[in-house]
Amino acid sequence: MLATLVERLESLFFTHRAAVLGVLAVVTAVMAVFALQLRMSAGFDKQLPQNHEYIRTFNQYRDVLFGANRIIVVVHARQGDIWNEKALTKLYDVTQALFFMPGVDRRTVTSLWTPNTRAVQITEEGMKAEDVIGGDVTVRSLTPQAIEGIRERTMVGGFVGSLVANDYSGAMVVAELADPDPKTGARLDYLDFSKRLETEIRAQFADADYDIQIIGFAKQMGDIAEGATGVIEFFGLAFVLTAAAVYLYTRSWVLTFLPLACSLVSVIWQFGTITLLGFGLDPLAILVPFLVFAIGVSHGIQQINYISKEVCNGADAMTAARRSFTGLLVPGTLALITAFVGFATLVLVPIPMIRELAITASVGVAYKIVTNLVMLPVMASYFSFDAAYVERISRSRAARTRAMALLGGLAETRNAAIVSALGAVLLAVAVWQSQGRHVGHVLAGAPELHDDSRYNRDVESVVSRFGLGLDLLTVPVEAPKDGCYKHPVMAYVDRLTWAMANAPGVLSAQSLTTMAKLASAGVNEGNPKWAALPREELTLGEAVRQVPEGMRLNNAECTVMPVNLYLADHKASTIKGVVEAVKQFRGAETIDGVTVRLASGSAGVQAATNEVVETSELPMMLYVYLTIIVLVLIVYRDWRAMVACCLPLTLATFLGYWFMRVLDIGLTVATLPVMVLAVGIGVDYAFYIYNRLQMHLANGIDIVNSFKQALQEVGIATIFTAITLSIGVATWSFSPLKFQADMGLLLTFMFMINMVMAITLLPALAVIIDVLIPRRRPVRAPFLAH
């Protein structure tokens, strides 16, 4: 049945080859029009697993609590401090510029110049509250006496370390972003917003005396997008290197052109489809098109290897192309279906960005079946190869055959046993070493950018000079109405605050109870003995009312009281430890009507993402391997094929995890698709080699000689494919984006290790299984016409 289908497809495509190529050309032209409309896009909500407990909490209270989508602008004096007219004027100008910038939630803008920054102090007459910079102070009335008053109120209000640097060298403006716009419902264009931060804030106000430092999700994504534009340059370099390598292998410009052109066509189709689906190209998914291109090159090289072999055996271009089509359609389709399923399983990750990536990457891989398994051989049928080329490629193939003959010695029973034993030992070590691999971000700062990038330098400067960590984990405590006036409820919140303040990884903890206790001491002459929660409701209510509303430590109904935890960093281990501490507390201590929720803030969002990535990885890998097992059993009808194909892939996967652990590459939304892709590339090698191996076994050749012949036929193409792709992605190591450089190293390793496993461990396992469990039935050949 399968043989009949392939024969009919061969007759259809090659009998009407002009019409086939004409249709494909029209489709390419149409898709190119849409591809040119593709734009880079990023969104904060696209990064969030919307159904996760933490994100539901974040969305429920994002208008009440300090959220995760903040922008922070710091006016930093290169010399001296900010207590002078010029510095405070510049801080005022930056505050105004940020306040009126589209996309900023003006209600949340906070600096020394905003009215929500109030200083509360104790006097002989009682509590006194006033703006740090009152309405009677303007930039034109910044006299030395006025500046001294501002400085005093800043210290009294406790804003040193938060809005003002500990060494007084800088002051910050903080604001939440309005995404989506509450009036229009339009999503915020983060890349455009980042550019406006550069042109309207940094470029406008930075000078020889003052530096402007900007951090926050919007700026981070803008810097990543700016660096991602360099991907085009690296793509071009990788394309040139790949073309040169393919020419060295084929010794023909025609056969060099075909795999590259057909792979590019599928990328054009992919870009056009992304536009038609209404998606943009996310900066963190910018590498996916090249990965899809790499898969196409891998299959294209197998095609031209087959065609050149047939030409050397005396076939004309048409015959060689038809034999290549029938010979590689089945293994190529199997490999591409596996890669398709691998990317499609990413849909299981409930993060919109990854789901978009899954859809677009799956579509791109599916297109490879048309462009690389159909379009390429049909195009090749139009070209002719003269005697000089046949002589040239014959000499080259003879040299490669001699080289492969040496490698074929691995199929000898004794050598196969040694390779299998080494593989088993290496698998055990890789599984053991990969246990310590990281999930989430491993290093401080923006992990997608290099340590010396402008954004990470700004992060380091702000963290070192300000007392509060930038990584905020907010734990909302839900209570009945007017809960902040009830002593049992407040005492519970106070115990939670104390427990979290002493949890590893927490720099400080802030809640309504900490501020209410300070207010209680304040009305009692500042005596620290009175720094406690009053038990009487009216007295407690008076202490609570002294806490400024701008601190967002409770809502108007007093039904939500957040505990803000400022973490040392956003490393996955730090966040996970703090989250566990919260869970332990709420499990050990309970009170009727009061619920401790997880979690909001930037660290809460990151915790949700880390948990989703960690729990999604195993099911995804199991689905991919299940697909491989089912396809192998259907096509090859032999459990030996399943073992021989899957065990080398498993070893390569765990070696990849070990590699990530050694290089401190965490499993994130950016690296997860790469590991899935690595399985897809590895199965390419396995299917092509095993397909030839089983064909020779079906012809009655023993297992050792079958492997030697298979290696001579497709081994060199497999090795060359891995080397070619590795050279291309290795250039990414010089990328201005750290995550792209890391992915270059990881993909180089995975391309090479999968190739090594396919040409060593796969045949060794096949030999050993045949020796230990002899076959009782003749081997059934896969469909392969020639």
Side-chain angles (χ1 to χ4, degrees), residues 230-461:
V231 171
I232 299 175
E233 299 174 7
F234 287 99
F235 183 90
L237 177 60
F239 183 86
V240 171
L241 292 175
T242 301
V246 173
Y247 178 77
L248 288 176
Y249 179 76
T250 62
R251 306 303 175 101
S252 166
W253 288 115
V254 170
L255 294 182
T256 299
F257 165 79
L258 288 176
L260 297 177
C262 293
S263 297
L264 281 177
V265 165
S266 64
V267 173
I268 292 173
W269 291 7
Q270 183 186 22
F271 282 169
T273 303
I274 294 174
T275 303
L276 288 173
L277 292 175
F279 299 154
L281 193 59
D282 194 281
L284 293 179
I286 193 74
L287 302 181
V288 172
F290 179 79
L291 300 182
V292 174
F293 173 79
I295 292 175
V297 171
S298 173
H299 290 274
I301 289 175
Q302 294 291 347
Q303 290 278 356
I304 61 175
N305 178 68
Y306 204 118
I307 292 171
S308 64
K309 182 196 72 171
E310 294 296 330
V311 169
C312 288
N313 291 336
D316 58 19
M318 171 64 83
T319 303
R322 296 181 78 128
R323 289 177 177 175
S324 176
F325 174 83
T326 56
L328 297 181
L329 181 64
V330 171
T333 302
L334 288 179
L336 288 172
I337 289 175
T338 303
F340 174 86
V341 172
F343 278 121
T345 56
L346 290 170
V347 176
L348 298 175
V349 183
I351 298 177
M353 188 208 79
I354 294 187
R355 285 182 168 172
E356 284 187 15
L357 181 151
I359 294 171
T360 56
S362 299
V363 168
V365 171
Y367 286 152
K368 296 296 179 188
I369 298 176
V370 178
T371 59
N372 290 83
L373 301 184
V374 177
M375 182 179 180
L376 193 156
V378 171
M379 289 179 64
S381 67
Y382 278 99
F383 297 97
S384 59
F385 304 96
D386 56 24
Y389 168 75
V390 174
E391 181 181 355
R392 200 164 56 243
I393 198 65
S394 296
R395 288 197 304 268
S396 178
R397 291 184 64 86
R400 295 166 187 167
T401 299
R402 290 192 295 272
M404 288 298 99
L406 297 176
L407 191 58
L410 292 175
E412 301 292 342
T413 304
R414 177 175 176 274
N415 296 335
I418 295 174
V419 171
S420 298
L422 290 176
V425 172
L426 190 56
L427 177 61
V429 174
V431 171
W432 170 48
Q433 289 293 329
S434 64
Q435 296 306 305
R437 63 194 174 90
H438 311 283
V439 177
H441 298 156
V442 179
L443 304 174
E448 298 84 2
L449 303 171
H450 287 290
D451 293 340
D452 60 352
S453 66
R454 176 60 198 258
Y455 184 87
N456 279 337
R457 291 201 313 271
D458 286 352
V459 169
E460 182 182 5
S461 175

Side-chain angles (χ1 to χ4, degrees), residues 141-182:
S141 62
L142 287 173
T143 63
Q145 293 80 8
I147 294 174
E148 183 59 32
I150 295 172
R151 177 173 180 168
E152 180 181 347
R153 289 187 291 274
T154 298
M155 290 185 284
V156 168
F159 298 111
V160 176
S162 55
L163 290 179
V164 176
N166 290 318
D167 59 359
Y168 308 131
S169 63
M172 67 169 56
V173 185
V174 184
E176 298 281 336
L177 301 186
D179 182 25
D181 188 292

Side-chain angles (χ1 to χ4, degrees), residues 740-773:
Q740 184 182 349
D742 288 343
M743 291 308 94
L745 293 174
L746 180 59
L747 280 170
T748 299
F749 177 81
M750 295 306 296
F751 285 153
M752 294 301 294
I753 201 66
N754 272 300
M755 177 269 292
V756 172
M757 293 298 106
I759 65 174
T760 57
L761 187 56
L762 186 155
L765 287 172
V767 170
I768 293 302
I769 293 172
D770 260 32
V771 171
L772 296 178
I773 308 175

